[in-house]
Amino acid sequence: MSSIPDKQYVFVVGAPRSGTTWLHRMLAEHPSVASINAELTLFSSYLAPVVKRFKDETFHRDRGHWDQGLPMLFSQQEFDSAIRSVTGMTYARVLNKNPAASHILDKHPAYSLHIPLIDQLLPNSRFIHIIRDGREVVVSMMSAKRRLGFGEGDVRGASLDWANHIRQARAEGSKLGASRYMEVSYEALM
């Protein structure tokens, strides 16, 4: 199962501390939206590392460097099918929260870095990229590091993280076009 028929997937992306949670919560309130009040991290924490590892092992196997890993047992097509199956099962559970929904919503800041993978597994997904003033994001990141223990803890690291998320999301979003990628200003929403 690669996707759930007749459902539109929407992903909220943006740099950490840029308002992705806030925007996600607002959109999730709509009765036509199925979502959970948590970050699945499906693509950033689970699928992207596995897909990268399979690709790396295939690269080395094909060049005779070594024989190891899942490419020894699965073809690329079989591996892709398994990843699509996990994706479909995951979002079927999200849909169970609101079976009548027409849209399935998910978010995680790191999804900004994985738009091509999301697009590969869930073609025609849409992306809403929330962008917040970088100075505010940097201050919020440093505060989160002190209070919660995650994120960049210095101005330089937080600035680079903010810029990297924006740059990658914009680059990939421009390939999708205006019907599938839109940017929203945090300050304008406020």
Side-chain angles (χ1 to χ4, degrees):
M1 175 196 305
S2 62
S3 64
I4 299 164
D6 304 323
K7 304 299 176 187
Q8 175 66 63
Y9 291 88
V10 178
F11 293 91
V12 175
V13 301
R17 313 302 297 170
S18 64
T20 56
T21 300
W22 177 52
L23 180 56
H24 177 266
R25 286 182 180 159
M26 285 192 291
L27 295 171
E29 289 298 317
H30 195 282
S32 295
V33 172
S35 187
I36 63 170
N37 192 21
E39 293 180 334
L40 286 175
T41 70
L42 176 64
F43 298 97
S44 49
S45 296
Y46 296 94
L47 300 183
V50 172
V51 168
K52 182 180 182 326
R53 185 66 183 173
F54 190 88
K55 181 179 178 181
D56 291 347
E57 289 175 340
T58 300
F59 174 87
H60 288 288
R61 185 205 63 208
D62 291 350
R63 281 152 187 79
H65 299 158
W66 64 63
D67 288 331
Q68 71 179 32
L70 294 181
M72 300 304 302
L73 301 172
F74 297 94
S75 69
Q76 184 70 54
Q77 184 178 5
E78 291 169 326
F79 177 79
D80 291 347
S81 178
I83 295 297
R84 281 188 175 84
S85 180
V86 168
T87 303
M89 289 187 297
T90 300
Y91 288 112
R93 289 184 181 222
V94 171
L95 185 59
N96 284 340
K97 303 292 182 188
N98 182 4
S102 58
H103 291 69
I104 298 173
L105 176 68
D106 191 11
K107 80 97 182 172
H108 188 259
Y111 286 178
S112 300
L113 311 176
H114 301 291
I115 291 173
L117 177 60
I118 296 169
D119 185 48
Q120 175 189 338
L121 295 172
L122 297 168
N124 301 314
S125 294
R126 295 184 181 185
F127 298 86
I128 303 172
H129 182 191
I130 186 164
I131 301 174
R132 185 177 182 190
D133 183 299
R135 295 165 294 190
E136 296 295 329
V137 170
V138 167
V139 169
S140 184
M141 278 188 188
M142 292 176 10
S143 173
K145 180 67 171 184
R146 283 191 308 276
R147 292 178 299 107
L148 307 170
F150 77 86
E152 296 291 337
D154 61 70
V155 172
R156 185 179 193 303
S159 298
L160 290 172
D161 197 35
W162 173 80
N164 185 45
H165 279 79
I166 289 179
R167 199 172 16 256
Q168 287 205 38
R170 280 185 164 162
E172 296 304 328
S174 70
K175 296 174 189 174
L176 300 174
S179 65
R180 296 187 50 215
Y181 171 84
M182 71 177 295
E183 294 180 356
V184 176
S185 164
Y186 175 93
E187 290 75 18
L189 276 179
M190 288 292 283

